[in-house]
Amino acid sequence: MCGIVAYVGRKIAQPLLIEGLKRLEYRGYDSAGIAVIDQKGAMHIRRAVGRISVLEDALQRVPTLPDASLGMAHTRWATHGAPTEANAHPHTDDTGRIALVHNGIIENYAALKKFLTNKGHAFSSQTDTEVLAMLIGDLYADMQVKNQVLPGTSLLQQAVQAALHEVDGTYGIAVICKDEPDTLVVARKGSPLIIGVGQEEYIVASDASAIVEHTTQVVYLNDNEMAVLKPGSFRTTTINNITISPVISQLENKLEEYELGDYEHYMLKEIFEQPSAIRNCLRGRAEQKESRIVLGGIVDHTRELVRAKRFILTGQGTAWHAGLVGDYLMEDLAKVTTECTYASEFRYRNPLVEEGTVVVAISQSGETADTLAALREAKEKGALALGIVNVVGSTIARETDGGIYLHAGPEIGVASTKAFTCQCVVLTMLALFLGRRKFMSQSVCHEMIDGLCAVPEQIERVLEQSDHVKQIAREFCDRENWLFLGRGYHFPVALEGALKLKEISYIHSEGMPAAEMKHGPIALINEGMPVVFIATKGSQYDKVISNIEEVRARGGKIIVVATEGDTNIHKYSDHVIEVPHALEPLQPLLSVVPLQLLAYHCAVARDCNVDKPRNLAKSVTVE
Ligand code: F6R
């Protein structure tokens, strides 16, 4: 969602904040803003609607911002109020003394706004964030009058603490005050904040990508914690002012991993990174010689996992699609009752969590609000909670009882690609880990591990067909309705193919089980409608061929993802994209790749902003 970056130290803050915003832009991009406090204690704010480049242009105009070593910036994904300059962050109180940037939602903002309006405060935006800035300003003024500063604290810190006690909802905030021109106060509840610890300087951000260029030493704030940062010193406390010793961690990812390199878009880079991402994901875990799966992050729970009666896999969007693949894998390979459920539904439906239930939260970012809430609900009900997460140190990763990291490297493109395949790889390893401890023979496990280790090289072969997929995309990119159909393991792949296409090229597309088509959606098929089938050689191949015939008979254009060397399929199709043969449980890892490419090339052909599709943000930290 929105991105925050803030700085206090000895350097000039502005270039550093703008660079940070650019790295965070994938989190939200409808407006952006910056606030700095100069050495004389004057506050300077610039805001602009649109991308960071628009803000950059605004900053070039005279009067430019003076040099300042304290400041913060924000890139917004609108929740309350339209994307206008007035609604862009930073927001100030009505004296202009306090400025604040905020990720999250203040749920009781209406009541607080009424209270503050009755006290005579005037608002200039429709945002919940301005209410929080105003509340802090109001409390600050009160405390100043009453001369209430506690020893060892700053008035700003106290005012922020007092305000946060009045607030319901979620926040990651950075606050500055022109009366305290060397102090940055940050706090979090439900929205991530990371403090980068440098040489007499601190850079705080909602995501490591804005920090890694400056330092790899970080402190992850937990919920209900805050920090007061000054050049050369910082103190972390709870929002009740209890001091906490900060734990300094090392960032895992390197700066190069966040760079675009020679690629035109992050999405394409990440599609092409899948072989190396999967190799990293498998490294040290899938042991071919011993036919063994080693999963250090869950090994302490082996007994509970092997005895578990039921697994609930949960996530949102692409992560949910991976969970659906996992559902098939767990029942097929580990022979354990499994269901895959949307986290947003799970958390509110008062789910049945009996003894022996394991809940697995799947999330690339590890910050998705619904997935986090589902995880907390599951823990509350006594389930063993595991995470399958990419971002190390993220909230979900830290709140689970155990888990398996993807090690896919940073995913910047808003449309998830390499995270999906790595999530499927991890779920395959989890199913093998359990299956082997239950009913699976060594030879079956051996065959699966060999198959899994061959996947990166097989994906490389699929990627060689990018130009062929581009031709198909060019032929059909102007069609406004598409269908994606698959059976068994390929049903979730069909869903994922449709999601990729709709989210980045704004084409209406639906994915469904191929057999479901006859129960209604077949009415949609008309002359020339592109219908993508995943029809690799496997147990349901003949049935999918029958479904292809049904669509052809109604004039649909048939694009098929098929097994290399399947000459038979050509007579049923207008276009064929080949993928290497793989064991059935591994086929999604290959068949999804042409669909990612198809979506990518369609979006480029339609001149869409691939990495920053409209209305979307990378990590959905509000419900
Ligand atoms: C689609 C996409 C989203 C995410 C979903 C969950 O391409 O990226 O559907 O998969 O928002 O995000 P994470 O995995 O971060 O929990």
Side-chain angles (χ1 to χ4, degrees):
M1 306 248 89
C2 312
I4 288 178
V5 57
Y7 176 82
V8 60
R10 313 257 179 234
K11 296 190 186 125
I12 299 171
Q14 183 184 321
L16 209 138
L17 294 174
I18 294 297
E19 199 45 48
L21 273 192
K22 285 186 190 160
R23 294 198 183 277
L24 293 175
E25 197 176 12
Y26 72 104
R27 295 180 68 104
Y29 27 80
D30 59 41
S31 52
I34 180 171
V36 296
I37 296 181
D38 67 23
Q39 262 104 34
K40 294 183 202 136
M43 175 98 70
H44 305 268
I45 296 183
R46 294 283 186 284
R47 300 182 294 186
V49 175
R51 315 248 164 198
I52 311 300
S53 53
V54 183
L55 177 67
E56 262 188 310
D57 289 347
L59 288 167
Q60 303 287 318
R61 287 196 286 275
V62 181
T64 53
L65 295 190
D67 289 352
S69 300
L70 172 68
M72 58 196 191
H74 187 266
T75 175
R76 179 168 186 250
W77 187 89
T79 52
H80 287 71
T84 59
E85 194 174 320
N87 288 337
H89 301 213
H91 287 282
T92 62
D93 67 335
D94 51 2
T95 67
R97 169 159 54 190
I98 303 284
L100 175 140
V101 289
H102 168 223
N103 286 355
I105 293 182
I106 306 300
E107 285 166 6
N108 59 339
Y109 84 102
L112 291 171
K113 192 168 185 172
K114 196 166 166 204
F115 164 77
L116 291 162
T117 309
N118 288 342
K119 281 189 87 178
H121 293 289
F123 289 84
S124 51
S125 81
Q126 293 134 11
T127 64
D128 53 335
T129 302
E130 190 189 9
V131 175
L132 182 53
M134 198 72 80
L135 183 61
I136 295 170
D138 183 76
L139 290 162
Y140 192 97
D142 263 10
M143 289 172 173
Q144 200 170 39
V145 170
K146 294 180 189 149
N147 198 11
Q148 276 181 338
V149 197
L150 296 173
T153 62
S154 81
L155 203 52
L156 180 60
Q157 177 189 4
Q158 275 178 239
V160 171
Q161 278 172 356
L164 294 181
H165 281 107
E166 302 302 323
V167 153
D168 295 331
T170 54
Y171 51 81
I173 53 168
V175 193
I176 54 178
C177 169
K178 61 184 189 179
D179 294 351
E180 302 185 29
D182 64 345
T183 307
L184 171 66
V185 175
V186 298
R188 83 156 262 180
K189 183 182 166 201
S191 205
L193 270 191
I194 308 171
I195 303 171
V197 181
Q199 291 285 339
E200 302 209 318
E201 63 176 8
Y202 302 94
I203 180 150
V204 182
S206 43
D207 147 347
S209 59
I211 297 178
V212 68
E213 192 176 349
H214 306 281
T215 177
T216 53
Q217 308 271 300
V218 295
V219 175
Y220 294 99
L221 275 192
N222 292 310
D223 278 354
N224 299 313
E225 288 180 2
M226 63 188 300
V228 180
L229 307 125
K230 294 170 189 264
S233 76
F234 79 110
R235 178 170 171 244
T236 44
T237 67
T238 65
I239 61 163
N240 296 323
N241 203 28
I242 297 165
T243 303
I244 305 163
S245 315
V247 178
I248 305 222
S249 313
Q250 187 74 24
L251 282 182
E252 232 202 10
N253 299 117
K254 311 224 167 12
L255 182 60
E256 313 83 81
E257 294 178 75
Y258 294 93
E259 309 280 1
L260 193 52
D262 293 334
Y263 288 93
E264 218 176 309
H265 299 102
Y266 279 104
M267 182 181 178
L268 190 64
K269 175 181 183 239
E270 287 155 10
I271 292 173
F272 274 78
E273 275 175 352
Q274 290 180 105
S276 63
I278 293 174
R279 283 189 185 102
N280 285 339
C281 185
L282 291 171
R283 185 163 300 122
R285 291 165 164 178
E287 294 194 347
Q288 271 176 293
K289 271 199 203 127
E290 285 88 14
S291 306
R292 211 161 55 123
I293 297 289
V294 182
L295 296 172
I298 59 166
V299 74
D300 289 351
H301 300 287
T302 305
R303 222 173 127 86
E304 279 163 282
L305 290 170
V306 171
R307 291 177 172 199
K309 297 198 186 81
R310 180 168 160 240
F311 278 73
I312 300 173
L313 310 177
T314 191
Q316 294 292 136
T318 290
W320 180 75
H321 295 159
L324 220 47
V325 175
D327 187 350
Y328 284 77
L329 287 164
M330 293 289 278
E331 299 212 348
D332 190 5
L333 303 176
K335 309 282 181 237
V336 56
T337 306
T338 306
E339 72 188 82
C340 177
T341 176
Y342 280 114
S344 53
E345 294 301 310
F346 178 85
R347 61 181 292 197
Y348 287 120
R349 73 164 194 232
N350 194 14
L352 212 56
V353 178
E354 310 104 325
E355 214 188 317
T357 301
V358 179
V359 172
V360 185
I362 306 169
S363 173
Q364 187 285 129
S365 61
E367 302 292 351
T368 298
D370 284 315
T371 311
L372 180 59
L375 169 79
R376 288 177 177 159
E377 176 67 17
K379 284 181 77 171
E380 184 70 27
K381 293 207 144 126
L384 174 67
L386 303 183
I388 295 180
V389 169
N390 193 32
V391 178
V392 175
S394 56
T395 310
I396 293 177
R398 285 181 297 139
E399 290 200 13
T400 42
D401 299 310
I404 311 165
Y405 278 120
L406 303 184
H407 295 311
E411 193 179 67
I412 310 286
V414 165
S416 190
T417 51
K418 63 177 178 175
F420 175 79
T421 40
C422 288
Q423 283 158 349
C424 292
V425 165
V426 165
L427 285 158
T428 310
M429 289 194 289
L430 177 63
L432 292 175
F433 179 90
L434 296 175
R436 183 69 187 108
R437 282 164 178 78
K438 293 162 88 176
F439 315 101
M440 186 180 282
S441 68
Q442 193 177 14
S443 64
V444 171
C445 187
H446 181 80
E447 196 187 6
M448 281 294 302
I449 293 179
D450 272 1
L452 204 48
C453 292
V455 164
E457 186 270 329
Q458 291 180 315
I459 293 183
E460 275 158 8
R461 272 157 51 198
V462 180
L463 293 171
E464 284 166 15
Q465 297 181 69
S466 183
D467 284 343
H468 170 53
V469 179
K470 192 198 263 180
Q471 295 308 322
I472 302 173
R474 285 195 173 152
E475 185 176 335
F476 296 106
C477 66
D478 61 343
R479 312 293 160 89
E480 292 302 332
N481 291 295
W482 292 51
L483 270 185
F484 288 76
L485 301 172
R487 284 171 175 257
Y489 279 104
H490 285 140
F491 158 47
V493 174
L495 291 177
E496 179 59 7
L499 175 61
K500 287 291 88 93
L501 187 67
K502 74 179 86 157
E503 69 179 328
I504 58 166
S505 51
Y506 321 139
I507 291 172
H508 173 240
S509 50
E510 299 294 337
M512 65 191 72
E516 180 63 15
M517 190 186 49
K518 284 203 285 289
H519 299 276
I522 198 164
L524 293 170
I525 311 281
N526 57 13
E527 199 63 36
M529 176 176 180
V531 182
V532 181
F533 280 92
I534 304 128
T536 51
K537 282 286 173 82
S539 55
Q540 302 199 49
Y541 176 77
D542 291 336
K543 301 221 178 298
V544 181
I545 297 284
S546 306
N547 298 135
I548 293 178
E549 293 275 41
E550 289 155 10
V551 174
R552 256 161 59 91
R554 288 160 180 87
K557 285 283 179 192
I558 311 292
I559 302 163
V560 181
V561 176
T563 305
E564 261 172 17
D566 178 2
T567 46
N568 173 54
I569 199 82
H570 288 265
K571 58 178 182 277
Y572 302 99
S573 345
D574 295 289
H575 294 283
V576 175
I577 308 166
E578 292 193 337
V579 295
H581 173 73
L583 295 168
E584 225 161 304
L586 303 178
Q587 284 179 359
L589 294 166
L590 305 178
S591 58
V592 76
V593 177
L595 306 190
Q596 297 168 340
L597 288 168
L598 192 59
Y600 172 78
H601 290 303
C602 275
V604 172
R606 288 165 69 97
D607 212 14
C608 296
N609 190 332
V610 174
D611 286 332
K612 300 184 184 96
R614 71 181 180 209
N615 306 339
L616 287 173
K618 182 65 182 164
S619 138
V620 184
T621 51
V622 294
E623 12 170 338

